[in-house]
Amino acid sequence: MTKTFQIKSFGCQMNVYDGERMAELLSAEGMTPAAAGAEADVVVLNTCHIREKAAEKAYSEVGRLTREDGSKPVIALAGCVAQAEGEEARRRSKAIDLVVGPQAYHRLPAMLREVESGARPVDTDLPSLDKFAALPRRRRAGVSAFLSVQEGCDKFCTYCVVPYTRGAEVSRPMADLLEEAAQLVEGGTRELTLLGQNVNAWEDGSADFASLIHRIADLEGLERIRYTTSHPINMGEALIEAHRDCAKLMPYLHLPVQAGSDRILKAMNRHHTAEDYLRVLDKVRAARPDIAISGDFIVGFPGETEEDFAATLGIVRQVGYASAFTFKYSARPGTPAATMDGQVPEAVKDERLQRLQALVAEQSRAFNASKVGETTRILIDRVGRKPGQMIGKSPWLQSVFVETEAGIGDMVEVRLTGALPNSLSGELVTKEQQQAA
Ligand code: 5AD
Ligand code: SF4
């Protein structure tokens, strides 16, 4: 009997990518994805460990998988909680049948066979890049697909678990990436998002990240390139120039700064000041004036005073973000910040988070509104809810609703007509209008 599987990914886009590769791997073993709503024989929980709630969510997810009669699917704990907890995860929940870290998931089929013979295997080795060679080739992927180019992190920001759960910073070789990118484009992908914890630190011998972008841009049939996440200290001149020179590179940059106070940035071990960050953005905007900037922020880092927090609000005002992800500091066991003096009370974090989110929401709305009246190309990636309505992405990563007969994967020209808090509406620009213009 063919076994069915379900993969549930939490957290970052790297997990989404890993989830897709695990699905391909299990499919290559003859397993099939469970139908929507149906119970799968094997459930892979591809977890995130970056903040407390995400890990708790994974454990409660494990609990929910046990059915009323006490039976349950085979449960594989994967991702960063698996990496961080290892053996402990198995102890914490009897329902977990196997534990596999983010660098070891190519062993998932073998581990499932071990489960069948009664074992509860754990593999949290961190052998860099081994898994990629062991994964099947890419076939059908979405219109917009992720490509993992760099994994791990050597930066050791004092709040962050990533250097521990994902291991050291490792770049995949250029040749492998060009091959995987070509496979994806052949399978129908029009937009590639290059992924890495510090994607702009990617390198292969003398080739830097900008040259990787240029090489991928040469792929015929690929329309758009994006990348995430970047560290300010790796925003080199060549990459900034690529935003001016590479037409396929979209005008969107996710560049986290985390905080606006230099004292806090130092305690975070970020290796840059607020001023350094602003200087980088000035250069990026000079190269590509319409670029949308997004960021990540942590409020309530140990020792953060009201004055420090005011500096965070200040830098947000100075930058003018198209979007931003805002987080309350969460002490992660084993990280240096977890044991620092001056842990901020939860109520203070809550209050600061609300003020920051209000400011960011106002900026997002303003950014969306600033695009109304512009004509741009969108990449259709979803069917809308209303009849005849399709949803696509603008170059600035906004969702745009439009009535069109075009299908998923098509690029259409639209005039942006209205701004909602999280999306835009648009009207198709017809051929006649284009000619008249
Ligand atoms: N607490 C809160 N936010 C965190 N992040 C990383 N670690 C923590 C933590 N311990 C945030 C950072 C990072 C994003 C992916 O998650 O802003 O950029
Ligand atoms: Fe974590 Fe900092 Fe590395 Fe980003 S750069 S993954 S925040 S340690």
Side-chain angles (χ1 to χ4, degrees), residues 134-204:
L135 293 170
R137 67 177 264 126
R138 307 302 311 259
R139 279 171 309 207
R140 228 158 33 81
V143 165
S144 178
F146 293 128
L147 175 58
S148 171
V149 307
Q150 180 269 345
E151 295 204 312
C153 183
D154 295 337
K155 301 282 194 297
F156 290 93
C157 297
T158 53
Y159 50 80
C160 188
V161 288
V162 167
Y164 312 96
T165 58
R166 291 271 174 173
E169 217 164 273
V170 185
S171 297
R172 294 178 63 194
M174 170 89 89
D176 292 7
L177 295 173
L178 293 176
E179 191 185 326
E180 189 174 332
Q183 287 170 8
L184 287 166
V185 173
E186 213 173 283
T189 294
R190 316 292 302 276
E191 174 178 273
L192 272 180
T193 301
L194 312 182
L195 293 183
Q197 260 86 30
N198 276 293
V199 73
N200 57 344
W202 181 91
E203 59 184 6
D204 180 2

Side-chain angles (χ1 to χ4, degrees), residues 299 304 306 344-353:
V299 302
E304 186 188 72
E306 184 54 34
V344 176
E346 209 51 31
V348 175
K349 288 188 209 167
D350 279 326
E351 190 266 340
R352 287 181 188 162
L353 185 70

Side-chain angles (χ1 to χ4, degrees), residues 75-142:
I75 300 176
L77 188 73
C80 292
V81 175
Q83 186 65 37
E85 306 265 293
E87 291 284 342
E88 179 62 25
R90 241 176 14 168
R91 266 193 293 276
R92 203 164 148 179
S93 170
K94 293 268 173 295
I96 295 171
D97 296 291
L98 73 90
V99 180
V100 62
Q103 305 298 4
Y105 64 74
H106 55 291
R107 290 204 54 244
L108 193 53
M111 293 172 83
L112 285 170
R113 282 191 285 275
E114 289 173 46
V115 170
E116 271 175 10
S117 45
R120 289 178 79 203
V122 174
D123 190 343
T124 52
D125 278 357
L126 290 169
S128 53
L129 302 187
D130 282 10
K131 70 167 180 249
F132 291 107
L135 293 170
R137 67 177 264 126
R138 307 302 311 259
R139 279 171 309 207
R140 228 158 33 81

Side-chain angles (χ1 to χ4, degrees), residues 12 48-52 157-162 197 229-230 254 256-258 268 270 295-299 301 325-332 335 337:
C12 68
C48 169
H49 199 244
I50 203 122
R51 282 169 295 275
E52 234 149 350
C157 297
T158 53
Y159 50 80
C160 188
V161 288
V162 167
Q197 260 86 30
T229 284
S230 295
H254 181 66
V257 65
Q258 313 294 358
M268 286 178 162
R270 289 287 298 176
D296 289 346
F297 293 90
I298 296 176
V299 302
F301 184 82
F325 302 94
T326 54
F327 309 104
K328 278 193 286 184
Y329 170 72
S330 154
R332 310 313 294 130
T335 60

Side-chain angles (χ1 to χ4, degrees), residues 39 80 92 286 314 337 374 396 407:
E39 287 178 353
C80 292
R92 203 164 148 179
E374 281 193 34
W396 309 283

